[in-house]
Amino acid sequence: MNTRSFLKRPGSPNIPIQAIGLSLYENLGRDGPVEEPGTKVTRTQWLDLSSLEMANLVGKNILIVDEVDDTRTTLEYAVKELEKDVESARKKLGHEGTRTKFSIFVLHNKDKPKKGHLPVEMMEEHRYLAAKTVTDVWICYPWEATDIDEHDKLAKSQPS
């Protein structure tokens, strides 16, 4: 399998795709896929602050993509930490007045009160978008399945 780490645009330089990984959920030792929200955000993957990755983010429009907005805790963490790291890179580069804009896209937004908060201007400027708002149910994504055949069988048995 070949995974591309950039977006191609004919006649333009490639746009790199950077990835971070955060975890808030904990497996409670029960059988089954359902986990419970933890109390601490854990970085499972982060950008290398000493490389060009951070410099490439200064002054850009950055889209943060997540599968689900549950408590909003990890999204708040991602935005705050990325803003802090990009600001540090901006100062090192001496790019005064250069603004980096963060936006968020989620596949599923759970319709419930959120613990985390996103910047007011992000919400006012409609830089948060959810493909679908759903009730507060556990969502089992195919990429998290330990047995993909069992996952597919269960998915087909669910009402649309």
Side-chain angles (χ1 to χ4, degrees):
M1 178 176 172
N2 185 9
T3 304
R4 199 162 52 175
S5 61
F6 57 88
L7 299 174
K8 267 183 136 17
R9 206 187 245 170
S12 299
N14 293 337
I15 301 169
I17 297 171
Q18 307 290 345
I20 62 171
L22 301 173
S23 178
L24 179 67
Y25 289 88
E26 299 173 354
N27 186 318
L28 299 178
R30 297 186 209 135
D31 290 336
V34 178
E35 297 175 338
E36 293 293 325
T39 56
K40 180 181 169 233
V41 175
T42 303
R43 287 185 184 191
T44 58
Q45 180 178 337
W46 200 254
L47 302 176
D48 179 0
L49 303 179
S50 65
S51 74
L52 289 176
E53 288 176 343
M54 293 310 295
N56 287 336
L57 301 179
V58 174
K60 301 293 191 319
N61 292 315
I62 300 182
L63 180 63
I64 298 169
V65 179
D66 201 356
E67 69 264 54
V68 64
D69 181 358
D70 188 342
T71 64
R72 198 165 281 169
T73 305
T74 54
L75 286 172
E76 177 185 42
Y77 180 94
V79 171
K80 282 183 178 178
E81 292 299 305
L82 286 169
E83 283 178 338
K84 189 169 42 174
D85 290 348
V86 170
E87 177 60 14
S88 175
R90 186 194 64 75
K91 284 180 180 175
K92 277 184 188 175
L93 294 168
H95 290 195
E96 293 302 318
T98 304
R99 183 165 178 240
T100 301
K101 264 191 177 176
F102 291 90
S103 299
I104 294 174
F105 172 78
V106 295
L107 293 176
H108 297 104
N109 172 42
K110 290 191 180 182
D111 189 14
K112 68 181 199 178
K114 307 295 186 184
K115 292 179 183 176
H117 302 282
L118 297 174
V120 172
E121 65 275 5
M122 178 184 283
M123 303 307 278
E124 287 175 350
E125 294 173 6
H126 307 287
R127 291 186 284 122
Y128 171 92
L129 180 67
K132 188 172 185 179
T133 297
V134 298
T135 59
D136 188 13
V137 296
W138 186 257
I139 302 169
C140 293
Y141 295 101
W143 51 87
E144 295 173 336
T146 53
D147 181 338
I148 194 65
D149 294 326
E150 179 67 16
H151 174 275
D152 290 348
K153 186 174 126 188
L154 288 170
K156 286 177 186 173
S157 71
Q158 299 298 312
S160 295

